[in-house]
Amino acid sequence: MASSGSSTIPSTNSYTRLPDLKIPPRSGSSADLTLTRSARSSRLASPTEMEDMTKYEKKLLQGQAGYLLEDVPHLTDYIPALPTHPNPLQDNTAYSVVKQYFVNTDDTVVQKVIQHKSSSRGTHFRRAGPRQKVYFESDEVKACIVTCGGLCPGLNTVIREIVCGLEVMYGVKELIGIQGGYMGFYSKNTVTLTRKTVDDIHKRGGTVLGTSRGGHDTIKIVDSIQDRGINMVFIIGGDGTQKGAAAIYQEVKRRGYKCVVCGIPKTIDNDIAVIDKSFGFDTAVEEAQRAINAAHVEAESAENGIGLVKLMGRYSGFIAQYATLASRDVDLCLIPESPFYLDGPGGLLEFIEKRIKEFGHMVIVVAEGAGQDIIAQDMKSMDTKDASGNKLLLDVGLWLSQKIKEHFGKKKKTLNLKYIDPTYMIRAIPSNASDNVYCTLLAQCAVHGAMAGFTGFTVGLVNGRHAYIPFYKITECQNKVSITDRMWARLLSSTNQPSFLSKKDIEENKEEEELQVSASPADNGN
């Protein structure tokens, strides 16, 4: 990572601008601002064009020794000769003690921090932070904030800090909240946001703006943005939400409208690629431990006691993994990335029986997405999806509880099983101290990037430094637990559980992970 003022992007005679991946050219300019909604809509949307809108542009700069900057779009990419203004932060008393107000324009953050001596310099992202010049005057800004998808600790903190950052640091006076997720742009009311109205919302769980899944209609949303005169859009949500944000950016750009579209990635499952972790994850792990502690007390207090805890983790088992490592009371952890089988030698039920015989009790932690294939086969269920396109999961906790009871019943053995499902308790609580700080930094970095004219980006922590990341980088794949790295080995050592993997399973997992690394060289080793 380049530190401020010490290392720079190669000068223009030492890097090569790679060809941009362009969306098909269309008519549209700032003159669209004068068109009525019906006139704009009448020339916008064939199905093919709508599909093209979601295709991402890549803005790549290649330098020496394999250096590659995956840059984010800027308003000047499609509105040339925009005037700039001095950054108001230089007159802000809070920043008067800072040695260097502004991030060096050439500072970058490297994606993969561990390198071998023969490695190239690798992929970099633009470093987040305030710039010396901004592309909006405070009086012209009209910003909006929307939260989409499921709940997560820290949502209200992010909302609060975006409002406070715009108002206190940049003097922005017009901020509104879009209620009810994406559909709120065209079917719900808005609420005025000020420093006073958001003063204590960080102490509450959930989101004061409300949220929903689905409801994304790019044309209607951008029509609403233009009709309201909004020129900064802050979108808080997971990978599906960020894909929607990318489509909004593409349509805003196609119309030639001066409007920044900025994403703040949110998922309690911590499954967003590239970034170190998502906000709310630390809080979720901390709260999950309470459920594990309760399960341990219940199991230890009864003959042949089992405490079974189901935690969130649709496709990625990070909450289950880290809560297990933090607790040290867990005897078995099951996650979506690690297959298991129930019956026969070396199977799950045999292991549970042996552990109960040895210790007299045990605690099992299972992520909600674990074992879905074998549950579906067992129950002969049909695949269904929710409004966001996510597969509706079968309840692995209830299913596993029943299978364990049936196994012990056949052997006529006493069993006391307590099933604990703290799912909504974990995601509905306020964020803890660590996440509150993280949310503050994410929100402020998003505000700095928007004022500096960057658009079509999301902000995230990469190797301990905040960076601006193109939408396509965080939506092209999901972050998953690697069951062939040292962190999973540490968990197996802590629980003393078998991997339940055959040699074939291990080889297939290694091949899949090698393909993912070659496609997106994020460093997940610890």
Side-chain angles (χ1 to χ4, degrees), residues 421-446:
D421 181 358
T423 300
Y424 296 104
M425 293 171 61
I426 286 174
R427 74 178 199 172
I429 63 173
S431 51
N432 64 11
S434 171
D435 274 323
N436 267 333
V437 173
Y438 186 27
C439 289
T440 299
L441 297 178
L442 285 174
Q444 290 190 0
C445 286

Side-chain angles (χ1 to χ4, degrees), residues 25-137:
R26 302 185 188 91
S27 61
S29 67
S30 57
D32 281 344
L33 292 172
T34 63
L35 295 177
T36 64
R37 173 180 293 192
S38 59
R40 288 198 305 266
S41 300
S42 66
R43 65 169 184 76
L44 287 181
S46 71
T48 304
E49 286 181 335
M50 283 296 293
E51 185 178 346
D52 287 339
M53 277 185 235
T54 63
K55 291 182 180 178
Y56 308 120
E57 287 184 324
K58 292 187 178 181
K59 189 177 177 182
L60 307 176
L61 300 176
Q62 190 169 29
Q64 297 172 344
Y67 173 98
L68 180 68
L69 172 63
E70 297 214 25
D71 207 355
V72 296
H74 194 273
L75 289 174
T76 53
D77 292 343
Y78 66 94
I79 308 177
L82 276 178
T84 61
H85 314 279
N87 194 320
L89 280 180
Q90 64 189 13
D91 301 317
N92 190 303
T93 55
Y95 275 71
S96 62
V97 296
V98 180
K99 283 185 178 180
Q100 184 171 341
Y101 290 148
F102 307 115
V103 171
N104 190 303
T105 56
D106 291 337
D107 281 359
T108 61
V109 178
V110 65
Q111 180 177 0
K112 191 173 181 180
V113 69
I114 297 176
Q115 302 282 350
H116 300 291
K117 63 181 181 180
S118 59
S119 298
S120 64
R121 291 179 63 194
T123 299
H124 292 236
F125 302 110
R126 191 166 291 281
R127 185 182 177 190
R131 265 54 181 181
Q132 193 165 7
K133 297 291 184 182
V134 295
Y135 284 78
F136 293 90
E137 291 190 276

Side-chain angles (χ1 to χ4, degrees), residues 113-185:
V113 69
I114 297 176
Q115 302 282 350
H116 300 291
K117 63 181 181 180
S118 59
S119 298
S120 64
R121 291 179 63 194
T123 299
H124 292 236
F125 302 110
R126 191 166 291 281
R127 185 182 177 190
R131 265 54 181 181
Q132 193 165 7
K133 297 291 184 182
V134 295
Y135 284 78
F136 293 90
E137 291 190 276
S138 302
D139 292 342
E140 74 172 296
V141 174
K142 185 171 183 180
C144 77
I145 306 171
V146 63
T147 52
C148 305
L151 296 182
C152 178
L155 282 168
N156 283 333
T157 305
V158 175
I159 294 168
R160 181 188 190 277
E161 296 309 318
I162 291 174
V163 173
C164 291
L166 284 169
E167 186 174 322
V168 176
M169 291 192 293
Y170 288 99
V172 173
K173 300 300 180 186
E174 284 197 83
L175 296 99
I176 61 172
I178 305 297
Q179 296 182 311
Y182 274 136
M183 68 178 64
F185 277 100

Side-chain angles (χ1 to χ4, degrees), residues 20 47 143 167 270 283 319 358 382 448 495:
D20 290 345
E167 186 174 322
N270 198 38
T283 306
I319 292 178
E358 183 178 1
M382 301 292 290
H448 292 316
T495 61

